[in-house]
Amino acid sequence: MDRAQIEQVRSFNRTVTERVGVLHDGYLGRGRPIGEARLLWEIGEQEQDVRRLRERLGLDSGYVSRLLRSLADDGLVTVEPLPSDRRVRTVRLTDAGREERAMLDERSDELAGSLLGPLNEGQRARLVAAMAEVDRLLTASTVTLDAVDPDHPDAQKCLRSYFTELQERFETGFDPARSLLPDAGELRPPHGLFLVARLQGEPVGCAGLKLPPGAPAEIKRMWVAPRARRLGLGRRFLGELEARAAGEGRDVLRLDTNRTLGAAIGLYRTYGFQEVPAFNDEPYAHHWFEKRVSGPARG
């Protein structure tokens, strides 16, 4: 990794932590550390599952418990087991907690104003645009890709959302029973694999790879949730699946797609896929693509 890039990231981190006030124990002058303030923001107006809250923030279980205990001692939150499953803890703000959160919002607005105030109009626009880009890229860096069983709940959730979107977007609608859907066994090792992308613990995308014997590898059911688009996840899926195919000794990667999916077609072309004659009878496909797999030479 480039050393100059590492140094720039570290310099950026130092500047940000100093300017936004996280070096002080009392964040925004409220006498509590930033971890507690962030929890109040994340809890919001609705009851929250503590486990999901922890996953969303990427925090250690013990640390979150200590933060919640401190907030509860101050009368700002209540933490209780879920009546239907006492193993699950939930947290909600009290009236005092909502007042504290409102005060934090006010102080946070003031802090943002202090960052923008000394700058001229052009500088403000540049800073806000740069922050938006940094926010997008940092979010992209937190997305994880994991190989799961196609019957895993997260995989099924992604596939249901994917089929719903196809039904809405395709001119003829979409009926999974008519499509050449791979059997789940075709997306399990050694016949293939299925990847799920997660953002803050929530599934936001999926992609399958078929590895039929004596035939090219084939990408199936690649989908990214609307809220995770523009994070480069589609290209990341393609890179991971290509690497997996190369690792299995495959030298050709295939996929088919519908003409309605213009953004996906553009991605495939820029990634190096070339359009070829139809290689299957998929009723919903209008375009078929192949790519020579780049990776270690076959043994």
Side-chain angles (χ1 to χ4, degrees):
M1 195 170 293
D2 189 285
R3 186 63 202 174
Q5 291 180 333
I6 295 293
E7 290 295 337
Q8 182 58 59
V9 170
R10 292 186 60 186
S11 175
F12 175 82
N13 289 344
R14 289 192 296 271
T15 300
V16 169
T17 53
E18 177 184 349
R19 292 294 285 127
V20 302
V22 299
L23 301 180
H24 305 285
D25 289 337
Y27 182 61
L28 296 177
R30 298 301 296 164
R32 64 184 71 261
I34 189 172
E36 292 184 12
R38 182 60 189 275
L39 273 180
L40 290 174
W41 271 315
E42 290 294 332
I43 294 168
E45 295 300 319
Q46 303 297 321
E47 182 178 75
Q48 298 285 341
D49 181 322
V50 172
R51 180 177 60 86
R52 288 292 187 186
L53 195 63
R54 186 178 71 243
E55 290 176 350
R56 190 158 68 243
L57 294 175
L59 297 176
D60 173 78
S61 176
Y63 180 57
V64 170
S65 293
R66 290 193 295 274
L67 292 177
L68 289 176
R69 190 178 307 117
S70 177
L71 292 173
D73 289 344
D74 289 344
L76 303 180
V77 302
T78 58
V79 182
E80 299 174 339
L82 192 68
S84 59
D85 185 351
R86 299 188 66 81
R87 296 171 299 177
V88 177
R89 293 190 305 152
T90 61
V91 57
R92 66 168 63 243
L93 297 180
T94 63
D95 289 341
R98 283 187 284 273
E99 291 178 7
E100 179 67 14
R101 185 172 181 270
M103 179 60 70
L104 286 169
D105 279 334
E106 183 178 324
R107 295 286 179 87
S108 187
D109 285 348
E110 293 173 358
L111 175 59
S114 74
L115 297 177
L116 296 170
L119 306 177
N120 62 42
E121 186 173 342
Q123 289 174 319
R124 291 176 188 172
R126 286 165 50 203
L127 177 59
V128 171
M131 285 179 166
E133 179 71 357
V134 169
D135 183 35
R136 184 179 67 83
L137 293 173
L138 288 179
T139 299
S141 74
T142 68
V143 176
T144 61
L145 296 187
D146 300 296
V148 304
D149 189 276
D151 289 333
H152 187 283
D154 285 352
Q156 290 297 306
K157 181 177 181 180
C158 285
L159 288 173
R160 285 193 299 272
S161 297
Y162 175 52
F163 295 156
T164 297
E165 182 170 344
L166 297 187
Q167 169 65 26
E168 295 171 349
R169 296 186 63 180
F170 285 3
E171 298 171 357
T172 59
F174 179 76
D175 179 3
R178 291 189 59 224
S179 180
L180 299 181
L181 287 171
D183 180 84
E186 297 179 274
L187 299 178
R188 293 189 182 108
H191 307 294
L193 63 94
F194 197 80
L195 299 176
V196 166
R198 295 185 177 94
L199 174 60
Q200 297 176 326
E202 293 292 330
V204 293
C206 63
L209 182 69
K210 287 176 60 177
L211 297 167
E218 188 173 349
I219 294 174
K220 303 297 293 184
R221 307 312 173 203
M222 192 173 88
W223 172 79
V224 176
R227 75 183 184 96
R229 291 171 190 172
R230 297 190 67 253
L231 298 180
L233 189 48
R235 185 171 291 271
R236 186 174 168 190
F237 269 135
L238 293 176
E240 181 66 21
L241 294 177
E242 180 179 4
R244 300 284 187 125
E248 294 294 329
R250 306 307 173 96
D251 52 17
V252 175
L253 193 57
R254 286 177 168 175
L255 59 85
D256 60 70
T257 192
N258 186 279
R259 63 189 172 206
T260 306
L261 306 178
I265 291 171
L267 170 63
Y268 302 145
R269 293 186 190 281
T270 60
Y271 191 76
F273 279 90
Q274 301 294 320
E275 191 153 4
V276 297
F279 51 76
N280 62 24
D281 297 321
E282 171 59 57
Y284 294 105
H286 301 103
H287 301 276
W288 290 260
F289 291 93
E290 282 189 358
K291 182 182 188 297
R292 302 295 298 183
V293 169
S294 61
R298 298 178 66 179

